[in-house]
């Protein structure tokens, strides 16, 4: 069996930063340290941090007054920040800087009087946070079909933003449909889809066409991991999302001589190693890495947890 290993894969700079923020908070703040929502969308990361003393909650009403709370990498709406301030909570913000960029754009576009069209998935935490920046001026669209149903106050004053973890190809289709409906459509100066999402999608393209099967390591609620699976399938290759090596199913592997392997941006690298080890337990495996980009970006930690 040959494993085509996609690169880049696993943790991105924003995820590494968010995890380190929680780790440092656990070292420096009285326990428990609360985290609003999952710090990143990966069950293994969450379980590991819970084991070290982090308490994950859905909303701030579960956090005692004055306690330390970390905001997840996906960002929060302004109303959440107001509530935290009112409660006297010790807030440490782990929002990915690339999500913060989208929030700033939402405020700027709404501030100049535009209807802001946010391309994204309803219910995702990142989307909820961005919608909260200008709720009266922002509308959510998930796909091309949704574009046809849009009604805006002034078709000449329309801007768009996107969730950072979407499939680039699908977003391009939605933006093209928006531009066809609203010729004066304006957008961000640079793409909102983050570099790590794009790189991981390009890496999956590099392995999918030569593979009999693609495996993506990531949790079910990880948007960027789900997009990798969908991308491989669109290229005609069977693909499956697995949380870890325990998710492997023998029937998937029957007759598969070349397996593509990647991992979403919130999946720990060790999980990929464990999948390779599980495949090796079935027989000889040759691993061939295919790299499409080198990622060297790092994000600074917030002042509250800097050395």
């Amino acid at each position: 069996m040959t494993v085509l290993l996609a690169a880049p894969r696993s943790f991105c700079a924003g995820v590494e930063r968010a995890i380190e923020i929680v780790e440092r908070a656990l070292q420096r703040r009285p326990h428990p340290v609360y985290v609003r929502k999952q710090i990143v969308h990966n069950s293994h990361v969450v379980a590991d941090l819970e084991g070290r003393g982090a308490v994950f909650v859905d909303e701030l009403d579960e956090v005692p007054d004055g306690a330390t709370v970390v905001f997840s990498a996906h960002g929060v709406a302004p109303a959440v920040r107001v509530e935290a301030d009112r409660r006297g909570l010790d807030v440490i913000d782990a929002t990915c800087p690339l999500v913060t960029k989208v929030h700033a754009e939402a405020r700027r576009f709404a501030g100049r009087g535009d209807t802001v069209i946010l391309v994204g998935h309803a219910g995702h935490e990142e989307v909820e946070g961005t919608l909260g920046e200008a709720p009266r001026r922002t509308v959510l669209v998930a796909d091309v079909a949704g574009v046809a149903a849009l009604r805006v106050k002034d078709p000449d004053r329309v801007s768009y933003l996107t969730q950072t973890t979407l499939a680039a190809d699908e977003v391009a289709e939605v933006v093209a449909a928006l531009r066809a409906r609203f010729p004066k459509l304006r957008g961000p100066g640079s793409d909102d889809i983050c570099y790590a999402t794009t790189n991981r999608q390009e890496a999956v393209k590099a392995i999918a066409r030569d593979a009999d099967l693609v495996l993506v390591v990531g949790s079910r609620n990880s948007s960027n991991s789900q997009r990798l699976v969908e991308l491989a399938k669109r290229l005609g290759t069977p693909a499956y999302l697995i949380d870890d090596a325990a998710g492997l199913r023998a029937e998937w592997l029957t007759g598969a001589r070349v397996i593509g392997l990647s991992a979403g941006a919130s999946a720990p690298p060790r999980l990929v190693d464990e999948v390779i080890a599980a495949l090796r337990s079935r027989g000889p495996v040759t691993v061939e890495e295919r790299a499409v980009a080198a990622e060297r970006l790092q994000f600074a930690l917030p002042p509250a947890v800097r050395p």
Side-chain angles (χ1 to χ4, degrees):
M1 179 184 292
T2 297
V3 171
L4 300 180
L5 192 57
R9 62 186 176 275
S10 296
F11 284 170
C12 64
V15 166
E16 289 178 338
R17 174 181 182 269
I19 294 171
E20 186 174 357
I21 286 170
V22 178
E23 291 173 339
R24 286 174 177 261
L26 288 169
Q27 294 169 358
R28 302 180 180 192
R29 297 293 199 274
H31 286 206
V33 169
Y34 293 85
V35 183
R36 183 184 179 275
K37 307 293 186 181
Q38 291 190 353
I39 186 64
V40 298
H41 285 158
N42 186 269
S43 59
H44 288 270
V45 171
V46 170
D48 177 64
L49 293 173
E50 281 179 329
R52 304 193 209 182
V55 177
F56 290 86
V57 299
D58 286 328
E59 297 298 344
L60 293 185
D61 59 11
E62 302 172 63
V63 181
D65 290 353
T68 297
V69 61
V70 179
F71 290 158
S72 80
H74 311 102
V76 300
V80 176
R81 299 182 187 277
V82 171
E83 175 66 10
D85 185 61
R86 185 187 69 80
R87 298 268 312 284
L89 300 179
D90 175 19
V91 172
I92 304 175
D93 190 358
T95 302
C96 175
L98 300 180
V99 174
T100 299
K101 164 189 175 288
V102 179
H103 282 225
E105 290 166 344
R107 294 192 298 271
R108 180 162 58 89
F109 293 171
R112 69 190 182 196
D114 290 2
T115 296
V116 181
I117 299 171
L118 175 61
V119 183
H121 296 140
H124 191 279
E125 286 142 38
E126 180 188 327
V127 167
E128 291 178 349
T130 304
L131 287 172
E133 291 289 352
R136 295 182 180 180
R137 286 196 168 273
T138 309
V139 292
L140 182 64
V141 169
D143 50 32
V144 171
V147 173
L150 279 174
R151 298 292 181 268
V152 302
K153 184 176 180 180
D154 184 351
D156 290 337
R157 300 191 65 84
V158 179
S159 299
Y160 78 90
L161 299 169
T162 74
Q163 183 180 334
T164 63
T165 55
L166 300 179
D169 296 347
E170 293 183 339
V171 167
E173 293 176 1
V174 176
V175 173
L178 285 171
R179 205 169 294 283
R181 276 210 64 193
F182 309 110
K184 294 187 178 180
L185 180 75
R186 294 187 284 183
S190 59
D191 284 346
D192 287 333
I193 298 177
C194 86
Y195 77 96
T197 296
T198 300
N199 286 347
R200 279 151 190 74
Q201 290 173 12
E202 290 301 315
V204 164
K205 289 180 183 178
I207 63 173
R209 290 188 177 92
D210 295 330
D212 301 313
L213 165 74
V214 170
L215 299 172
V216 176
V217 180
S219 292
R220 292 285 171 188
N221 60 340
S222 167
S223 174
N224 77 88
S225 299
Q226 292 278 12
R227 303 295 81 76
L228 296 178
V229 173
E230 292 169 359
L231 174 60
K233 289 179 177 178
R234 286 202 304 276
L235 294 172
T237 306
Y240 301 95
L241 181 67
I242 57 175
D243 219 12
D244 50 36
L248 286 170
R249 293 171 57 176
E251 58 265 32
W252 299 344
L253 306 177
T254 302
R257 299 183 61 83
V258 180
I259 294 178
L261 179 60
S262 186
S266 51
R270 66 174 175 81
L271 299 179
V272 175
D273 296 337
E274 291 170 6
V275 169
I276 293 172
L279 293 174
R280 283 197 164 118
S281 71
R282 299 173 57 88
V285 171
T286 299
V287 177
E288 176 187 329
E289 185 174 70
R290 292 192 178 177
V292 302
E295 294 180 349
R296 298 183 178 89
L297 182 65
Q298 292 182 314
F299 294 128
L301 295 170
V305 293
R306 285 180 193 163

